[in-house]
Structures are given as C-alpha cells and as structure tokens.
Amino acid sequence: MDNFQIVYSGWDPEEQKLREALCTLGNGYIATRGAAEESKDSKNNYPGTYLAGGYNRAKSNIADKEIENEDLVNFPNWLYLNFRPESGSWLNLDECEVQDYQQVLDMESGILSRSFVIEDSEGRKSKIESRRLVSMRDMHNAALEWILTPLNWSGSIEIVSELDGNITNNGVERYRDLESRHLDVLSTQELKDGISLTVQTNQTQLVMAQAARTTLFDGNHKLEVDTKTISNKKSIAQHFFLNAKEGISVRAEKIVSIYTSRDKAISEPSLEASENIAFAPLFDQLLKRHRQAWNRLWKQADIQLDNGAKTQRLARLHVFHILQTASPNSVGLDIGIPARGWHGEAYRGHIFWDELFITPFYNLRFPDIAKSLLMYRYYRLEKARHAAKEAGLRGALYPWQSGSNGREESQKIHLNPQSGNWLPDHTYLQYHVNAAIAYNIWNYYKATGDHEFLSCFGAEIFLSIASFWGSKAEFDTDKGRYVFLQVVGPDEYHTSYPDSDQQGLNNNAYTNVFAAWVLQMALDILDLLENPTAERLLQRLEIDEDELLLWKDIGTKIYLPFLDGEVISQFEGYEDLEEFPWEEYRKKYDNIQ
C-alpha cells in the first residue's frame, strides 16, 4: 500500500462519521469533511464546511439558565451532487445494495476518491467514481468530479447539483440541545455559468458566498442538456436531464468558489465568487495546480521513518492534517490552531494551547506560518490584559479557550445530564496556557533568529505574561518559597479539592516550573533587546526595576511539592487523595464516563 494513502474498503455506515473526519480536505482557509457527495445530515453522514476563524455566538436556554457559546460555524454544503434514473429514487447508500466500495485519501496530492457499484430496487446497477479537492494552490476554489456509468441499463436520468444553506451545527451529540442556528441566507442567484448562494452569520455578521459551475461531459465533449434551476429560501440547485446509455459514462464537474467578508482585497463576497467561477479552469487544470502546491509542501514537510509502513502512513496523516489546518494560505488570516483543526465542531473549534505541540514543526519548515499563528495572540493581547485586570492581577492572562476576539470561551458551569444539576467547571484556571504562549515565542525566536518579531511583538507578549506570573505568585512564609494557588494543571480531571469550596488546586508542579521559566527567561529577553527598545517597552508596560527584581527572586524560589522528598507530586495534596470508587460507579452507572 502507498504510504501516502489511507484506504477504506467496504461501505460501513457506522464508521462513516469517523471516516468523514479523517478524510477532511482543507487548505488553511476552508475545510470540508469527507462526507459522501450525495448525502445530507443524517444518522450516518454529516457534511461540514468550515472557515478558518469562522465563529458565531448564540444563546441557549437550558434548565432555566441562559448560556452563551461561541461556535465554529458549519457553513453551506457545496458538495451535494446526486442522480436518479427515471421513476427511481435519489442515490442513498443506506437504501440500496453497495458493492466494491473503496474510498482513498491520497495525502500526497490532497485528493479524496470514491468508487463503488450500487444496485437499486429495480435491479439497475450503476458505477460511481468521484474525486474531489479543496485547492491548496487556488485557496478560494474547491472541485468535484463525478463519473456515472450505467452497467446494465439505459434510460433518462436526472442529475442535481446543489448549494445547500439549510445547515445547522449538528455535528456533536452533546451540543444538540443548544442553539444551533447560526446562518441566515441572504440570497440565491442563477448565474450565466451556474448558481450562487450567500449567507450571513446571525451574530458576527460574517458573510460567505459560494458559487458553483456544474458541467456535464461525454468523455471530453461537453453535453448540452435540458437544465432547470430551483431555489428556495435556504438553497439553490441545478437539475440536469439527459439520456444515459448502458456502458457509457457521464462525467460531471462541479467547480466551486468561496469568498467571505473576512477576505482581503475584495469588493463584496458574492461578486467575487461569481466572477471567480466564470473564469475558473476545468477540473483537470485545478487538479494539476493543486498537486503542484502539495508537492512543494511535502518537500518541506515530509517526515520519513524507518520502522514500518503503518507508522509512516500515520506520521504523514498527522502532517497532512496539520498542513490543512494552517498552510501558506493561512498567513495573515488572523487564526490560531484549534484543538481539532477545522475538521468539525468538537471543542467548538476553539483555540487552546495546541500550538505548543504544533509550532515546533512550523518553526523549522514554515516559519512564516509559525509567525502568523503567534500574531493571533498578539492581536488579542489587550483582551488578555483586561482578563488579568478582572482577576485583580497585572500583565496579561490569555484564555484557556479562545475564539474570535480572545475572551474566555470556557464555560464556568456545566449541566450534568445524569443528575440534572449544574456543576462548576474550573478548567478555565489552566493558566499554563500563558506559559505555553511565551514558550512558543521563545522557540520561534531560537529557530528563526527573527529579532524584528521579538522586538516589535514577541517581547511585549512575553513580558506581559511574566508580569502576570509575578503578580500571581504569593510568598509563603512557612515554606520560605513562592506559591501559586487556585490553578488547574494539564490534568483536567483534578480541578478542586474534595469537600472544598476553593476553586482550583495549589502548587501544580507543571504550572510552577513553567512559570519560573517564564520569569527567568523574561529577563534574558530584555537583555536581547536594544537598550532604547527595552526601555520604551518597560515604560509602556509600567514595569519598574522593583518588579524585575521580584521576577528574579520568584524564578529561583518557586515551591515544588514532593512525595516522600524524592518524587515531584502533581500538586500539593495529591498524595492525600483517595482512590476513585470504580466498582461503586460501575454498579451505579451503565457508562462511568
């Protein structure tokens, strides 16, 4: 098997949503899940198209409380392409016999292919072959090629190509009781060369326009067929009517253009999408340019391993999805790295601390992308300063979950579906996200030597974070050390002490060590700056000599809890915790998660 390919053989409806996520195609600007072209939201299928940084807020009334969440929005489904023979039903793999099903994710060229044979209730067998791409070269274009071959029948058929705006955020089961309507359809339009659909998010007022040009071919010969355009308040579709012959293939090309109001150097999204689709090349030319772009990326990004084909494939799968989340197309887009990529709605598409694990890869291969990801944090520095002030502290406090504008998106309470009770959630106290951002800045500088970035942007973030840690530290006279109280470490299962009203924990070892490093490194960064630059920055941040001396003192006198004087304890009091009552919970609940 090719070590650049993920191959699925056989149609397995229960595995479809997992396959959809793993077969997502993206280019750092948009991403589309690997859903079947002919499917809509159903038990086994969930089409999803997501814009990098495309968020919207909505309020929900749950158990007598009003909750506001910000979500990564599922935008209109551009994929939909389907057919039916005369007097037959629209293709639905859940309702017909599926034979020889194969789905291939070609990571080397960023192509998702499907091939299968279906037999309907009338005994008609048809072969479907498809290829799709989200262009890495032409970031506003996506394309789909569909080949239909009647194997044992002839007759009239209808093919439909749709832009579907009747979309809600419905991809995560535990969010389904929350408000999921984020889109208002502004317009549908029939174009000279196709159709267009324009939507707007109902809170952020973000506009997305999609235009599609669908063309039918007999080989390389364009077919002139009867066409009918049907639109309603939520979607617009072109219907094509033609005669199919046994053994003769009909090829459909669907070229799509996507623009949004976040884009630079445009007039208006629907105008740009319509103009783009009028001049967009055919599928093969888009595919050629797309492959060339991926080839250039792999030359810089590939990690070659010697310990087995499976391991090599998995390593490339990770690299592939990282590059689909943040690519050269992402530079300057004001986006971060979401915990699950732009591949779905889990974690609401929020930005956590995941760049800690991702930026080392970008630093050495694509430093311009790494810098752009750090600028996402710089643009939200003022919001982080406000959060620190709200907590009664100095400097900058970045949120555990960040979205559009950098406010804290973590929920403070959650509804327990088993008991119906509202429970506090202290995970927003994971202040180590602050240290991770500082760490990313330093590693970027070490890898690139980008002194201009450090002087203009990075040092200001770093010193603001150090100022936070300096004000958060408290001196414990009994210990003779500085302590950090009421925090949550990377272990999200421990967020408070049993039978205590205190939020968070004391002296999480990971947090304390990381904070000490930040305070010490901040002084080193000051030494790297030219004297006038350092003086102006300290004056702007209102950091005086006494505060710098405090940083030095804290950085060398942090308290760490030890177990029996030898092993670092996860946090103070960890060794006093009782073992979890596993058997009691297994008897009480069907699923102890």
Side-chain angles (χ1 to χ4, degrees):
M1 184 185 295
D2 190 317
N3 288 334
F4 275 101
Q5 290 189 345
I6 304 295
V7 179
Y8 296 102
S9 296
W11 172 247
D12 187 344
E14 293 184 359
E15 287 290 314
Q16 181 61 11
K17 289 189 177 180
L18 173 61
R19 294 181 183 183
E20 288 177 351
L22 292 176
C23 292
T24 295
L25 297 181
N27 61 9
Y29 169 68
I30 54 171
T32 295
R33 287 168 57 85
E37 300 91 20
E38 70 280 359
S39 71
K40 295 194 175 184
D41 183 10
S42 66
K43 177 183 177 182
N44 299 318
N45 299 279
Y46 188 67
T49 289
Y50 305 94
L51 173 72
Y55 297 106
N56 191 68
R57 293 175 184 168
K59 294 180 180 179
S60 308
N61 290 306
I62 302 291
D64 299 323
K65 288 186 181 294
E66 185 177 74
I67 303 296
E68 182 178 85
N69 290 291
E70 183 168 78
D71 290 278
L72 182 68
V73 176
N74 185 6
F75 281 94
N77 178 24
W78 62 268
L79 279 175
Y80 192 74
L81 192 66
N82 206 336
F83 93 100
R84 62 180 175 184
E86 185 177 13
S87 73
S89 301
W90 294 108
L91 171 62
N92 184 336
L93 296 192
D94 294 329
E95 297 176 356
C96 57
E97 182 180 342
V98 184
Q99 304 168 2
D100 302 326
Y101 186 92
Q102 187 172 70
Q103 181 169 311
V104 179
L105 177 65
D106 183 351
M107 299 177 287
E108 188 171 24
S109 57
I111 299 293
L112 178 62
S113 304
R114 301 167 70 223
S115 175
F116 55 91
V117 173
I118 57 106
E119 182 175 351
D120 65 17
S121 59
E122 303 295 324
R124 289 173 291 211
K125 289 188 176 183
S126 306
K127 184 174 184 180
I128 305 292
E129 301 165 276
S130 72
R131 294 186 296 174
R132 79 174 69 155
L133 62 90
V134 174
S135 179
M136 189 61 78
R137 168 61 176 81
D138 303 285
M139 61 184 279
H140 295 283
N141 288 123
L144 170 62
E145 179 189 64
W146 224 56
I147 301 175
L148 165 66
T149 308
L151 298 181
N152 64 349
W153 60 277
S154 298
S156 60
I157 62 171
E158 180 181 357
I159 294 175
V160 61
S161 174
E162 183 179 31
L163 297 175
D164 183 10
N166 189 21
I167 299 295
T168 61
N169 273 46
N170 193 38
V172 179
E173 185 174 353
R174 64 192 181 96
Y175 300 162
R176 287 178 185 166
D177 289 335
L178 303 174
E179 178 59 64
S180 61
R181 296 183 299 272
H182 295 287
L183 296 178
D184 294 326
V185 176
L186 298 183
S187 68
T188 58
Q189 187 177 1
E190 184 175 8
L191 308 174
K192 177 183 177 182
D193 297 296
I195 53 177
S196 71
L197 172 75
T198 304
V199 300
Q200 184 179 57
T201 54
N202 52 33
Q203 180 266 327
T204 53
Q205 307 294 291
L206 170 60
V207 176
M208 175 183 281
Q210 298 181 358
R213 185 190 73 213
T214 305
T215 312
L216 304 185
F217 296 88
D218 177 2
N220 292 320
H221 174 67
K222 181 180 176 180
L223 292 174
E224 300 295 337
V225 300
D226 292 334
T227 306
K228 182 179 181 181
T229 299
I230 300 176
S231 64
N232 55 43
K233 294 181 179 180
K234 297 287 188 178
S235 63
I236 184 168
Q238 283 182 301
H239 294 253
F240 303 88
F241 304 90
L242 63 155
N243 289 314
K245 296 181 180 180
E246 181 177 341
I248 304 298
S249 299
V250 175
R251 181 167 61 90
E253 286 190 3
K254 186 175 185 178
I255 311 299
V256 176
S257 174
I258 299 175
Y259 280 83
T260 81
S261 53
R262 284 169 55 98
D263 296 335
K264 298 176 182 178
I266 69 166
S267 170
E268 186 274 327
S270 61
L271 176 64
E272 300 295 334
S274 300
E275 289 185 350
N276 177 288
I277 210 65
F279 298 104
L282 296 174
F283 183 89
D284 283 344
Q285 188 175 351
L286 276 173
L287 176 60
K288 179 181 179 181
R289 291 157 63 90
H290 173 69
R291 278 178 168 157
Q292 289 171 343
W294 267 109
N295 182 56
R296 289 191 293 270
L297 288 181
W298 280 115
K299 285 181 178 178
Q300 293 177 254
D302 194 19
I303 298 172
Q304 297 185 21
L305 305 174
D306 296 327
N307 58 338
K310 181 179 180 180
T311 305
Q312 179 68 79
R313 254 192 325 277
L314 289 175
R316 284 174 173 157
L317 181 66
H318 285 287
V319 172
F320 178 70
H321 284 301
I322 288 172
L323 290 175
Q324 293 193 126
T325 301
S327 78
N329 296 318
S330 307
V331 175
L333 289 187
D334 186 28
I335 62 171
I337 290 286
R340 295 286 183 92
W342 311 114
H343 293 47
E345 296 151 31
Y347 295 124
R348 306 188 187 281
H350 291 162
I351 315 300
F352 293 73
W353 67 327
D354 297 74
E355 62 259 54
L356 177 74
F357 313 103
I358 303 300
T359 51
F361 170 84
Y362 285 117
N363 286 340
L364 298 177
R365 293 168 173 83
F366 305 96
D368 53 338
I369 300 176
K371 179 179 178 179
S372 187
L373 294 173
L374 290 173
M375 290 304 294
Y376 171 86
R377 299 298 189 177
Y378 182 78
Y379 297 140
R380 288 154 183 79
L381 179 55
E382 200 58 42
K383 189 69 76 172
R385 288 185 177 125
H386 178 72
K389 186 177 181 180
E390 287 278 292
L393 301 168
R394 285 177 46 78
L397 171 57
Y398 280 92
W400 179 238
Q401 295 188 45
S402 180
S404 59
N405 70 346
R407 75 168 189 180
E408 178 60 78
E409 298 296 342
S410 301
Q411 289 292 321
K412 300 296 178 66
I413 55 174
H414 281 288
L415 181 66
N416 185 324
Q418 291 284 342
S419 66
N421 296 326
W422 288 97
L423 303 175
D425 185 343
H426 304 318
T427 55
Y428 70 96
L429 296 173
Q430 292 182 86
Y431 295 153
H432 55 270
V433 64
N434 249 16
I437 293 168
Y439 185 75
N440 294 334
I441 291 168
W442 177 244
N443 275 329
Y444 170 77
Y445 175 73
K446 281 203 305 179
T448 65
D450 189 345
H451 194 78
E452 180 181 11
F453 171 80
L454 188 68
S455 299
C456 297
F457 308 108
E460 184 177 354
I461 303 174
F462 206 110
L463 267 64
S464 298
I465 290 171
S467 187
F468 165 81
W469 288 119
S471 64
K472 175 68 176 170
E474 300 177 31
F475 189 76
D476 187 311
T477 53
D478 292 336
K479 294 180 171 66
R481 297 275 176 174
Y482 290 93
V483 296
F484 288 107
L485 309 180
Q486 293 183 279
V487 301
V488 171
D491 174 6
E492 294 184 340
Y493 290 92
H494 290 95
T495 62
S496 61
Y497 291 105
D499 303 318
S500 171
D501 293 332
Q502 175 186 312
Q503 296 183 3
L505 306 163
N506 298 334
N507 295 307
N508 174 263
Y510 180 93
T511 304
N512 286 18
V513 170
F514 219 169
W517 177 87
V518 170
L519 291 165
Q520 294 176 34
M521 188 56 64
L523 301 174
D524 291 344
I525 285 178
L526 274 173
D527 290 339
L528 290 172
L529 302 179
E530 294 81 1
N531 283 338
T533 301
E535 290 174 5
R536 285 194 300 270
L537 184 56
L538 290 173
Q539 185 179 20
R540 179 181 175 185
L541 299 181
E542 300 179 347
I543 297 171
D544 57 22
E545 190 63 31
D546 288 342
E547 185 168 356
L548 295 178
L549 290 173
L550 178 64
W551 293 1
K552 185 175 182 180
D553 195 43
I554 297 171
T556 55
K557 294 180 181 177
I558 287 285
Y559 172 72
L560 281 182
F562 277 82
L563 187 63
D564 298 327
E566 296 181 354
V567 178
I568 296 176
S569 186
Q570 183 173 315
F571 53 81
E572 193 170 10
Y574 179 81
E575 65 277 9
D576 297 327
L577 298 177
E578 296 180 6
E579 180 65 22
F580 189 81
W582 300 102
E583 292 307 317
E584 178 184 333
Y585 266 66
R586 287 193 177 100
K587 292 176 182 177
K588 188 174 181 180
Y589 300 107
D590 293 333
N591 185 341
I592 64 171
Q593 293 188 43

